[in-house]
Amino acid sequence: MKKAIYVTTMLLLTLALFAGCGSSSANEENKNETEASQVNRITVGFSQLGAESDWRNTNTESMQNAFTKEAGYNLIYKNGQQKQANQITAVRTFIQQDVDYIVLAPATETGWDTVLSEAKEANIPVILVDRRVDTADKSLYSCWVGSDFELEAKKLTAWIKNYTIKRGIAPGELHIVNIQGTMGSTAQIGRTRGLANAARENHWEIISETSGDFTEAKGREVMAALLKRFDNINVVYCENDNMAIGAIDAIESAGGHVGGDIMNGDIMVVSFDGVNKESLEYCKEGKISCIAECNPLHGPRVKALIEALESGNTPEKFNYVDEKIYSSIEDVISVVVDGEKYEVEKPE
Ligand code: AHR
């Protein structure tokens, strides 16, 4: 809006100049009206971390659909290409442009204090979306909206536990590999911690943990390497669907069979997101045994937070989204986590 005032002044000066020339056709008036309404828009600089997954692309679209010109916004979108340095540059550019709000989807949690202090110094509110930043000074950002990644992991591991109990599979029979997301990201930290805790409590074996950076290509590469190193893998815990799709491809290419019958040679794949058609289709077919949903539709949520700030309200600091759990295997119909019951839904 600050920038808008400057542009409005310039526009009025220009209009005054033209009024002096005496030209004012209906078309020009319409054009001027449109321009005048444009300059009252709120400018949002959005630093997205990259385009590594279907989840991420859906998230970007959600932001772009929410912050339209029609809705009264100018959205400046920057893709960080998975590099924090690019995101820091983007935030600094937004500060120079004197945007009204900065929305940051940080790749990893640490290393943000300096640039966020610069935004605070410039009086530009920062809204975090999806992942979080690790800073002692919480005043460096206004609020955050996203998923409880550890809760997602607790739901998924509760499903594995219930499933093995139903099938009479002893805990010691599970030999798990974890294909992790981008190391140091909130999603990776929460999902890895959730698995580690469940493995410790249930006496499951985690054979290996390797990052696949949330991409299908790396998921395939990591899985192919793991299959060469270990011959007893029977559960693949993928920290997102794209890596699961890559891992399934690697398992099938190596002659393996994915599915829930792990006592008869199947390799069970479980994952997170439930966003793209292919993974939901795999879940329907039982190639992915269970998916803990991670909801990417944050555009309207961030917009609501900005609207609250615009009207002088202080939104909640941390805003969690509700998420589901999907499986087409009939054995487990619900899971209970931290006293809360979650029905297991069939993927559509
Ligand atoms: O931070 C959310 C995670 O990031 C999603 O699970 C994953 O697909 C994405 O890349």
Side-chain angles (χ1 to χ4, degrees):
M1 206 70 90
K2 288 167 262 168
K3 198 173 156 221
I5 292 165
Y6 166 78
V7 181
T8 308
T9 315
M10 294 306 288
L11 190 68
L12 288 175
L13 286 173
T14 314
L15 288 177
L17 209 74
F18 276 102
C21 300
S23 84
S24 76
S25 71
N27 274 351
E28 267 176 349
E29 275 171 22
N30 282 343
K31 190 169 162 248
N32 291 336
E33 247 173 53
T34 317
E35 281 172 358
S37 64
Q38 275 177 4
V39 293
N40 285 322
R41 291 193 191 117
I42 295 169
T43 300
V44 174
F46 173 39
S47 168
Q48 175 62 287
L49 65 95
E52 74 285 4
S53 63
D54 290 279
W55 189 100
R56 187 66 49 202
N57 296 337
T58 306
N59 176 249
T60 300
E61 262 173 50
S62 172
M63 294 290 289
Q64 286 168 336
N65 292 339
F67 293 101
T68 57
K69 295 211 182 316
E70 295 70 31
Y73 291 92
N74 291 315
L75 179 68
I76 311 173
Y77 164 74
K78 294 266 183 228
N79 179 341
Q81 315 281 355
Q82 326 294 328
K83 290 194 175 67
Q84 185 181 38
N86 291 344
Q87 288 200 275
I88 290 175
T89 304
V91 171
R92 291 213 165 106
T93 309
F94 297 151
I95 296 170
Q96 277 161 14
Q97 289 170 316
D98 200 16
V99 300
D100 297 302
Y101 293 90
I102 292 172
V103 179
L104 171 66
T108 48
E109 290 197 348
T110 53
W112 296 101
D113 286 66
T114 306
V115 76
L116 291 186
S117 301
E118 292 166 22
K120 187 178 173 187
E121 190 76 10
N123 270 323
I124 302 176
V126 173
I127 296 170
L128 302 178
V129 64
D130 172 29
R131 302 176 188 173
R132 296 208 199 178
V133 302
D134 181 5
T135 170
D137 183 359
K138 301 277 181 285
S139 76
L140 294 182
Y141 57 91
S142 299
C143 50
W144 163 87
V145 61
S147 304
D148 185 334
F149 299 107
E150 194 170 343
L151 175 61
E152 293 172 353
K154 286 181 181 178
K155 289 190 227 165
L156 191 58
T157 52
W159 183 91
I160 297 173
K161 180 181 177 179
N162 290 2
Y163 176 80
T164 52
I165 291 171
K166 283 261 176 185
R167 296 260 169 138
I169 302 168
E173 299 285 358
L174 295 194
H175 308 292
I176 306 170
V177 292
N178 180 9
I179 306 187
Q180 298 168 291
T182 303
M183 297 309 287
S185 67
T186 315
Q188 177 273 316
I189 293 168
R191 291 169 185 170
T192 297
R193 189 191 294 135
L195 175 65
N197 289 340
R200 198 177 42 251
E201 284 159 21
N202 297 301
H203 310 288
W204 298 336
E205 183 194 14
I206 300 178
I207 310 174
S208 170
E209 295 188 307
T210 316
S211 177
D213 232 353
F214 285 126
T215 70
E216 185 175 325
K218 281 240 175 130
R220 184 179 293 108
E221 190 184 304
V222 165
M223 190 71 231
L226 288 169
L227 288 168
K228 286 187 186 134
R229 273 178 67 201
F230 306 102
D231 61 5
N232 62 342
I233 300 168
N234 57 12
V235 178
V236 185
Y237 178 96
C238 291
E239 290 185 1
N240 85 345
D241 280 346
N242 285 85
M243 295 190 297
I245 291 167
I248 290 170
D249 191 23
I251 293 166
E252 291 179 338
S253 303
H257 189 262
V258 288
D261 198 1
I262 58 174
M263 295 315 286
N264 285 307
D266 276 3
I267 297 182
M268 176 190 279
V269 177
V270 293
S271 69
F272 296 87
D273 284 356
V275 170
N276 74 7
K277 272 197 174 160
E278 198 177 355
S279 64
L280 288 169
E281 202 52 50
Y282 276 10
C283 192
K284 261 195 224 170
E285 292 169 20
K287 283 189 173 197
I288 299 180
S289 293
C290 187
I291 299 177
E293 185 197 18
C294 182
N295 188 309
L297 305 177
H298 296 321
R301 297 175 185 128
V302 177
K303 191 163 151 240
L305 291 171
I306 289 180
E307 279 163 10
L309 290 166
E310 280 290 295
S311 39
N313 295 318
T314 308
E316 290 289 324
K317 193 85 180 175
F318 300 104
N319 301 275
Y320 292 94
V321 300
D322 290 335
E323 292 172 332
K324 300 176 182 171
I325 174 162
Y326 301 109
S327 177
S328 56
I329 299 180
E330 310 270 333
D331 304 47
V332 183
I333 56 168
S334 64
V335 293
V336 177
V337 172
D338 300 335
E340 192 87 30
K341 186 173 176 182
Y342 301 89
E343 303 297 334
V344 177
E345 301 197 12
K346 288 216 156 45
E348 283 172 14

